[in-house]
Amino acid sequence: MSRKPVQIMETVLRDGHQSLAATRMRLTDMLPALEQLDNMGYFALEAWGGATFDSCLRFLGEDPWERLRVLKSHLKKTPISMLLRGQNILGYNHYADDVVTAFVKKMVENGVGVIRVFDALNDVRNLEVAMKAAKESGAHVQGVCVYTISPYHTVESYIKLAQQLVERGADSICIKDMSGLLRPYVAYDLVKALKADPKVGVPIQLHTHYTSGMGSMTYLKAIEAGVDVVDCALSPFALGTSQPCTESMIAALEGTEYDTGLKRSNLKDVAIHFGNVKKSLGADFGLKTSFDVDANVLDFQIPGGMLSNLFNQLKEQGIEHKYQELLEEMPRVRAELGYPPLVTPTSQIVGSMATFNVMLGERYKMVPREVKDLARGKYGKTPMPVSEEVREKIIGNEPIIDYRPADDIAPQMDLLTKQLAEKGYPNASIEDVLSYALFPEVALKFFEKNR
């Protein structure tokens, strides 16, 4: 039997709790398990990026840079993987090229080994600066095909995107299925086509969420098609709106040509630990941490991390009874805004527009600035044109941006450093300047308490 071992990236330290516990896992929750996770033999441990940076500063009173340094000091064997939003870095807007470059260099210096870099619209122009900085810093650069379903998104369109990412230096390609939309046989065809294309020619990694209930089946078909790495979460933080289960995936492949070589028995104690962590997060933060499979995601297409946050936000506003109505409005808004994949920040942009439409009972009566910016092209090119009727209603005859949006942003690092000095932090580290760049008000509140 010829061996084609599949590797696993463990997501319990990032996407697992982002999807099921609103990104509230604390560094102290992670520390007792790090040595065992490091010794498992994973491809990588996803432990930074995504919404963790914001959550550290805003909710947990942690310095995300210090978290990264501490994680790195314990993870000696396994690379730390992180999720980067291209020109958006880890925020919700585009930043100047010098900020993107400085951020990437600093995160590699502080411990990141694998950088998964994506753009919400799959606009490669928004990835070029981050990918270049990552290559220069010596990290493994993983270019992302953000997966979604629309009249535009086809196997051919993803192959073309993967080719463009490889041309820009991607060491591997990730199919990022943030909403659990990728069906098993479609996954087989997509992975097979990517593996066969000579212009791609790099390892393929697959990331999905269990939201629709298809995750494990999708992985199995992708593995049969030759996928190299799959993302899984340890059992307490698996399934629902998170990833397929690590232990189950190891067991399913044991004794086959795809055997991961990982020992499931080595995860028992870690799983017990994270089971207790999950209970404490639910109790300490008043969170709903369990989400049922919902095949309707195939229609409303909302990513796992957003589902848990969305429900908790509606609950805070006392309008959780409008949850289903909101889910039905999302795909309508998405189609009208040019079928953007629903991933940060476009998921929040489409989500906020749908929320206003449902709350006010009149569509596009109140339009957030970000929605207008999306329609103008400020985030990049949408897969399909924005509905003419909606565009006219929300931005009138404003000019459309048809070039790389960040070309309009002057260098910011010197100005940000000066601003921070004026606010009482003249000796701020580059890391602190970068935290301030992404989340000015939140970072300042954090500095007041911790500097």
Side-chain angles (χ1 to χ4, degrees):
M1 181 173 65
S2 61
R3 296 248 309 124
K4 302 174 190 170
V6 172
Q7 292 184 283
I8 290 178
M9 182 165 89
E10 176 60 61
T11 68
V12 69
L13 302 178
R14 204 285 295 178
D15 205 0
H17 69 94
Q18 181 169 321
S19 295
L20 294 181
T23 329
R24 296 297 198 275
M25 193 185 289
R26 302 152 291 210
L27 179 60
T28 51
D29 298 320
M30 302 175 187
L31 288 173
L34 294 181
E35 187 178 338
Q36 280 175 282
L37 290 173
D38 193 31
N39 288 326
M40 272 299 295
Y42 287 117
F43 167 75
L45 286 162
E46 192 195 32
W48 210 66
T52 62
F53 196 96
D54 185 3
S55 187
C56 278
L57 292 170
R58 193 184 301 267
F59 301 115
L60 303 179
E62 288 184 33
D63 184 336
W65 297 101
E66 180 60 19
R67 173 186 283 202
L68 177 57
R69 287 188 287 269
V70 172
L71 287 169
K72 182 60 181 172
S73 72
H74 289 272
L75 301 174
K76 310 281 192 187
K77 304 173 184 176
T78 313
I80 294 174
S81 180
M82 67 84 64
L83 183 65
L84 187 75
R85 301 169 190 153
Q87 204 73 29
N88 288 16
I89 311 179
L90 296 174
Y92 305 101
N93 304 294
H94 283 184
Y95 299 92
D97 291 345
D98 64 335
V99 178
V100 176
T101 300
F103 195 96
V104 170
K105 290 186 173 174
K106 276 296 170 186
M107 70 191 194
V108 174
E109 193 179 298
N110 281 285
V112 169
V114 178
I115 300 174
R116 176 177 290 176
V117 56
F118 77 95
D119 177 67
L121 298 176
N122 284 325
D123 188 335
V124 292
R125 300 173 303 176
N126 295 332
L127 301 174
E128 290 169 348
V129 172
M131 290 180 74
K132 183 169 182 276
K135 291 294 281 187
E136 289 173 355
S137 301
H140 176 109
V141 183
Q142 188 168 86
V144 172
C145 297
V146 177
Y147 183 80
T148 190
I149 297 170
S150 82
Y152 167 83
H153 296 91
T154 62
V155 168
E156 291 72 28
S157 73
Y158 285 117
I159 290 174
K160 184 180 176 186
L161 175 57
Q163 291 171 349
Q164 292 173 332
L165 293 167
V166 170
E167 283 168 11
R168 286 157 180 78
D171 298 302
S172 62
I173 295 294
C174 173
I175 303 164
K176 179 177 169 58
D177 175 29
M178 60 283 168
S179 302
L181 305 177
L182 184 57
R183 301 169 195 234
Y185 287 95
V186 177
Y188 182 91
D189 292 343
L190 178 54
V191 171
K192 201 80 172 169
L194 287 168
K195 294 293 287 184
D197 192 289
K199 291 183 182 175
V200 177
V202 296
I204 307 297
Q205 186 160 345
L206 179 55
H207 171 94
T208 194
H209 288 250
Y210 216 85
T211 320
S212 67
M214 297 191 295
S216 297
M217 294 183 280
T218 294
Y219 276 1
L220 201 54
K221 292 307 292 182
I223 287 166
E224 289 175 358
V227 84
D228 298 280
V229 190
V230 291
D231 290 10
C232 297
L234 207 61
S235 49
F237 283 92
L239 308 182
T241 49
S242 182
Q243 278 74 57
C245 174
T246 304
E247 299 98 311
S248 305
M249 190 57 55
I250 293 170
L253 301 176
E254 277 172 3
T256 73
E257 60 191 301
Y258 311 111
D259 196 319
T260 63
L262 304 182
K263 287 190 168 56
R264 191 164 41 94
S265 57
N266 291 347
L267 288 171
K268 284 183 181 174
D269 292 344
V270 197
I272 291 168
H273 167 73
F274 281 112
N276 292 328
V277 167
K278 186 178 179 183
K279 286 176 191 167
S280 74
L281 294 183
D284 295 350
F285 295 103
L287 298 171
K288 171 184 168 75
T289 58
S290 179
F291 291 83
D292 296 330
V293 162
D294 187 353
N296 290 320
V297 72
L298 297 169
D299 301 314
F300 54 72
Q301 300 195 15
I302 299 174
M306 188 181 177
L307 275 176
S308 63
N309 279 316
L310 190 59
F311 184 87
N312 285 310
Q313 285 166 16
L314 288 177
K315 192 177 172 185
E316 285 170 15
Q317 298 296 321
I319 53 170
E320 65 263 38
H321 61 281
K322 293 202 169 188
Y323 185 58
Q324 188 59 38
E325 195 180 335
L326 182 55
L327 297 183
E328 290 167 8
E329 176 66 0
M330 287 278 289
R332 287 193 285 267
V333 172
R334 176 176 175 254
E336 290 162 346
L337 293 178
Y339 287 103
L342 293 182
V343 65
T344 304
T346 49
S347 54
Q348 285 83 356
I349 293 168
V350 172
S352 64
M353 190 66 257
T355 302
F356 278 118
N357 287 353
V358 167
M359 282 174 61
L360 300 175
E362 183 181 331
R363 306 186 78 236
Y364 300 103
K365 181 180 182 181
M366 184 181 290
V367 181
R369 175 183 57 81
E370 292 82 1
V371 177
K372 295 179 180 180
D373 287 345
L374 180 65
R376 285 181 56 229
K378 197 169 178 182
Y379 290 93
K381 186 180 180 183
T382 53
M384 296 182 82
V386 175
S387 153
E388 211 166 300
E389 184 185 341
V390 168
R391 194 182 73 242
E392 283 179 11
K393 188 169 185 177
I394 64 179
I395 62 169
N397 294 318
E398 286 186 41
I400 303 296
I401 297 169
D402 58 4
Y403 46 85
R404 189 181 79 108
D407 287 343
D408 282 340
I409 309 173
Q412 296 171 314
M413 282 300 288
D414 289 346
L415 177 63
L416 292 162
T417 305
K418 185 182 173 189
Q419 284 178 358
L420 210 45
E422 288 169 355
K423 292 180 187 296
Y425 303 97
N427 301 311
S429 65
I430 294 176
E431 286 89 343
D432 281 350
V433 174
L434 291 165
S435 296
Y436 173 70
L438 266 60
F439 303 105
E441 292 173 18
V442 174
L444 285 173
K445 283 181 185 173
F446 176 81
F447 296 155
E448 282 170 24
K449 293 179 183 175
N450 299 280
R451 291 287 182 270

